[in-house]
Amino acid sequence: MIQDLFTPSVQHSLDLVGIFVFAISGALLAVRKNFDVFGIAVLAEVTALGGGIFRDVIIGAVPPAAFTDLGYFLTPLFAAALVFFLHPEVERINLAVNVFDAAGLGLFCVAGTIKAYEYGLGLTSSAALGLATAVGGGVLRDVLANEVPSLLRWDRDLYAVPAMVGAGIVVLCIHFEALNAYTSALAVITAFVLRLLAITRHWRAPRAWNRRSAVDEKATAQ
Amino acid sequence: MIQDLFTPSVQHSLDLVGIFVFAISGALLAVRKNFDVFGIAVLAEVTALGGGIFRDVIIGAVPPAAFTDLGYFLTPLFAAALVFFLHPEVERINLAVNVFDAAGLGLFCVAGTIKAYEYGLGLTSSAALGLATAVGGGVLRDVLANEVPSLLRWDRDLYAVPAMVGAGIVVLCIHFEALNAYTSALAVITAFVLRLLAITRHWRAPRAWNRRSAVDEKATAQ
Amino acid sequence: MIQDLFTPSVQHSLDLVGIFVFAISGALLAVRKNFDVFGIAVLAEVTALGGGIFRDVIIGAVPPAAFTDLGYFLTPLFAAALVFFLHPEVERINLAVNVFDAAGLGLFCVAGTIKAYEYGLGLTSSAALGLATAVGGGVLRDVLANEVPSLLRWDRDLYAVPAMVGAGIVVLCIHFEALNAYTSALAVITAFVLRLLAITRHWRAPRAWNRRSAVDEKATAQ
């Protein structure tokens, strides 16, 4: 049984930080899409809590934590209010948002993988569900905003890979019975740093081989 | 334990009315999107039952009522058939559809909040889930039709707020141990009337402050 | 109790075949949408497993089979890799993909209906959930790719009807206590053949009556 990697209050604070930064990204997209104040709040909630709710429904942990912990519910509303009043300032600190979002990605892929494993899933499935926890909210955000999910697009910097690496480190540690607060923190930090590197160096994933129009696109896609 | 606010048969009839009118709205959108008869039926089912299915999955009430009560399943098909054959007439009575939809909104936000509370959620979460029950089907309808959810758009009359008020009245009544058939009916009617007022007076919610293009839009958005 | 219609290993092999061909269709759409390699993998997974995960969440069979059976998870990745490297060849054998997809449709509508019935749903609901199992993955695929679900569009060959017929045969057999390996196979084959006929003969479903622009469209829609 894996438990108490961090003290509960530390774990809870880290969760709220992750929820907050994901909510900011949802609220900012809502502003860009010209949604009203309720649209901003809904998109903040969905982005922040969607991945965790999906995970909890899949593993049978119902009602999901998002519906039993008031802090999880109120944090996105706070983020939405902040963006509502201050969004030009928030957009200006885009770098900070990206850094926090990377932190959220790292935290959620690790926490999601561990929770899935605790509920009895195998190692591979736990890692897959950890990945889904980390990226699910963003996918729901883009679907509700009627856009192609950023996760799937080739012209966005790597997002899934850092979370996969983080989740992979966790399941390796579980397999070798080496999961503790230090190795968990290592997994979080690795995913976090990889995501930051992907942003700063514009790492991208390849598209399918031999696309007919590949040559033309290379010329225009820069 | 809250129970038997209305006699079971009254409650069931009210549910079917709500399901029917939501299904009409789904079927009408399907006709406008030029879907075939199965697309009309699917969109009617999803719009009518989506919110309740989401609520039941979240609170662990599986299989959801939509899959155990044949009337819940057949009512949207009946609505779809009606729209299929008579849609010009149905669209002409757009006002009637709006009135019924407002009634469905009121009924579902109240019934959803009460059911969530009965399954052990806190007051705030129950109200949030009641809201999700009322608006969830419409969001799914718009996502399947590949449109930006009407709920999120600033240029639509208030839809979430009446449901929030209805759900809020319910949780206040629960908190003060005053929930009964009369106060529930009051919550339904308040949400219903607020939604009708929002339609007739074109109440809208504000968008984020200081949008750069706000001035231009004000000129064109009237 | 219905069980062991086929030997478990036969059943499992059939499931994997269905998952594989659905994954191919998801991966091909991802290539057409210009997604990167992770987008291809995600769309393959969602298309192949989405319908079954939805069914399992609804009937309370959590964690869903897709998260407990490693083969279910790895098969779509294999399909994604195949499409990634060989997609021009895969598209060229479009006919083969359609045939396999029809086989997947037949297998999933029958298997989904039976599993739903085993978990206590009524006959109508079981058939509806069998249909959802068969078509759900494709709907999720199209929603993630930001397209109107192919299932709902009038200008696509019949897809839901063959699955409905297959699910209908199963519940009739259950009702008359005649469900066995032979009648199940008959249901699969009927759905499969109907879908192939729909493709080759371009069977389509009618749209709503009396659409105002019906005449114009008839001229252009051929």
Side-chain angles (χ1 to χ4, degrees):
Chain A
M1 185 74 196
I2 304 158
Q3 263 184 320
D4 300 331
L5 293 179
F6 306 103
T7 66
S9 67
V10 170
Q11 176 66 46
H12 195 248
S13 304
L14 291 174
D15 278 356
L16 292 183
V17 170
I19 286 170
F20 179 78
V21 291
F22 279 167
I24 293 279
S25 89
L28 282 175
L29 179 61
V31 171
R32 273 179 221 137
K33 298 285 287 190
N34 215 6
F35 293 168
D36 68 20
V37 60
F38 299 107
I40 296 170
V42 167
L43 220 55
E45 292 279 359
V46 166
T47 311
L49 305 177
I53 290 175
F54 174 73
R55 178 201 59 208
D56 289 350
V57 166
I58 291 295
I59 59 178
V62 291
F67 285 92
T68 56
D69 184 318
L70 206 54
Y72 286 13
F73 177 75
L74 296 179
T75 300
L77 295 183
F78 178 64
L82 211 71
V83 168
F84 183 81
F85 289 111
L86 301 173
H87 69 98
E89 282 73 19
V90 175
E91 294 210 63
R92 205 170 298 140
I93 53 169
N94 202 20
L95 176 65
V97 172
N98 270 330
V99 171
F100 278 106
D101 182 79
L105 187 73
L107 288 165
F108 278 27
C109 73
V110 170
T113 304
I114 293 173
K115 185 162 184 183
Y117 184 76
E118 283 176 347
Y119 273 78
L121 265 62
L123 291 177
T124 312
S125 299
S126 296
L129 209 48
L131 175 63
T133 307
V135 306
V139 169
L140 282 173
R141 173 197 67 206
D142 296 340
V143 166
L144 284 186
N146 202 18
E147 304 210 324
V148 172
S150 174
L151 178 74
L152 306 177
R153 296 176 56 165
W154 75 276
D155 57 348
R156 299 294 162 94
D157 304 325
L158 283 186
Y159 196 86
V161 174
M164 280 180 202
V165 172
I169 293 175
V170 170
V171 295
L172 280 178
C173 288
I174 292 175
H175 184 68
F176 292 111
E177 296 185 3
L179 192 72
N180 54 44
Y182 300 105
T183 52
S184 307
L186 178 75
V188 171
I189 291 167
T190 306
F192 172 65
V193 170
L194 278 178
R195 170 64 183 154
L196 289 186
L197 284 171
I199 296 172
T200 51
R201 310 203 167 182
H202 294 298
W203 286 345
R204 282 175 188 172
R207 286 171 288 168
W209 285 18
N210 300 316
R211 286 167 306 101
R212 266 163 241 144
S213 53
V215 181
D216 307 324
E217 274 166 22
K218 253 187 199 154
T220 60
Q222 311 294 333
Chain B
M1 185 76 200
I2 304 157
Q3 266 183 319
D4 300 331
L5 293 179
F6 306 102
T7 66
S9 67
V10 170
Q11 176 67 45
H12 194 248
S13 304
L14 292 174
D15 277 356
L16 292 183
V17 170
I19 285 170
F20 180 77
V21 291
F22 278 168
I24 293 279
S25 89
L28 282 175
L29 180 61
V31 171
R32 273 179 222 137
K33 298 286 286 191
N34 214 6
F35 292 168
D36 68 21
V37 59
F38 300 106
I40 296 171
V42 167
L43 220 56
E45 291 279 357
V46 165
T47 311
L49 306 177
I53 290 175
F54 174 74
R55 178 202 59 207
D56 290 349
V57 165
I58 291 295
I59 60 179
V62 291
F67 285 93
T68 55
D69 185 317
L70 206 54
Y72 286 13
F73 177 74
L74 296 179
T75 301
L77 295 184
F78 179 64
L82 212 70
V83 168
F84 182 81
F85 290 111
L86 301 173
H87 70 98
E89 282 72 19
V90 176
E91 294 209 63
R92 206 171 298 141
I93 53 169
N94 202 22
L95 177 65
V97 172
N98 270 331
V99 171
F100 278 106
D101 182 78
L105 187 73
L107 288 165
F108 278 27
C109 73
V110 170
T113 304
I114 293 173
K115 184 160 185 185
Y117 184 76
E118 284 175 348
Y119 272 78
L121 264 62
L123 290 177
T124 311
S125 299
S126 296
L129 210 47
L131 175 63
T133 307
V135 306
V139 170
L140 281 173
R141 173 197 66 204
D142 295 341
V143 166
L144 284 187
N146 202 16
E147 304 211 323
V148 172
S150 175
L151 177 75
L152 305 177
R153 296 176 56 165
W154 76 274
D155 56 349
R156 300 295 163 93
D157 304 324
L158 283 186
Y159 196 86
V161 173
M164 280 180 202
V165 172
I169 293 175
V170 171
V171 295
L172 280 178
C173 289
I174 292 174
H175 184 68
F176 293 110
E177 296 184 1
L179 191 72
N180 54 43
Y182 300 105
T183 51
S184 307
L186 178 75
V188 171
I189 291 165
T190 306
F192 172 67
V193 170
L194 278 178
R195 171 62 185 155
L196 288 186
L197 285 171
I199 295 171
T200 51
R201 311 204 167 182
H202 294 299
W203 285 345
R204 282 173 190 176
R207 285 171 289 169
W209 286 17
N210 300 317
R211 285 166 308 102
R212 269 163 239 146
S213 53
V215 181
D216 307 325
E217 274 166 20
K218 253 187 198 153
T220 60
Q222 311 295 334
Chain C
M1 184 79 197
I2 303 157
Q3 265 183 320
D4 301 330
L5 292 179
F6 305 102
T7 65
S9 66
V10 170
Q11 177 66 47
H12 194 248
S13 305
L14 291 174
D15 277 356
L16 291 183
V17 169
I19 286 171
F20 179 77
V21 291
F22 278 168
I24 293 279
S25 89
L28 282 175
L29 180 61
V31 171
R32 271 178 223 140
K33 299 284 287 190
N34 215 7
F35 292 168
D36 68 19
V37 59
F38 299 107
I40 296 171
V42 167
L43 220 56
E45 292 279 358
V46 166
T47 310
L49 305 177
I53 291 174
F54 174 73
R55 178 202 57 207
D56 289 349
V57 165
I58 290 296
I59 60 178
V62 291
F67 285 93
T68 56
D69 184 317
L70 205 54
Y72 287 13
F73 177 74
L74 296 179
T75 300
L77 295 184
F78 178 63
L82 212 71
V83 168
F84 182 81
F85 290 111
L86 302 173
H87 71 97
E89 281 73 19
V90 176
E91 294 210 63
R92 205 171 298 141
I93 53 169
N94 201 21
L95 176 65
V97 172
N98 270 331
V99 172
F100 277 105
D101 182 79
L105 187 73
L107 288 165
F108 278 28
C109 73
V110 171
T113 304
I114 292 172
K115 185 163 184 183
Y117 184 76
E118 284 176 347
Y119 273 78
L121 264 62
L123 291 176
T124 311
S125 299
S126 296
L129 210 47
L131 176 62
T133 306
V135 305
V139 169
L140 282 174
R141 173 196 67 205
D142 295 341
V143 165
L144 284 187
N146 202 18
E147 304 210 324
V148 172
S150 173
L151 178 74
L152 306 176
R153 295 176 57 164
W154 76 274
D155 57 349
R156 298 295 162 93
D157 305 324
L158 283 187
Y159 196 86
V161 174
M164 280 180 201
V165 172
I169 292 175
V170 170
V171 296
L172 281 178
C173 289
I174 293 174
H175 184 69
F176 292 111
E177 296 184 2
L179 190 71
N180 53 44
Y182 300 105
T183 51
S184 307
L186 177 75
V188 171
I189 291 167
T190 306
F192 172 66
V193 170
L194 278 178
R195 170 63 185 155
L196 288 186
L197 285 172
I199 295 172
T200 52
R201 309 204 168 181
H202 295 298
W203 285 345
R204 283 174 188 172
R207 285 170 289 169
W209 286 16
N210 301 317
R211 285 167 307 104
R212 268 163 241 145
S213 53
V215 180
D216 307 324
E217 274 167 20
K218 253 189 199 151
T220 61
Q222 310 297 333

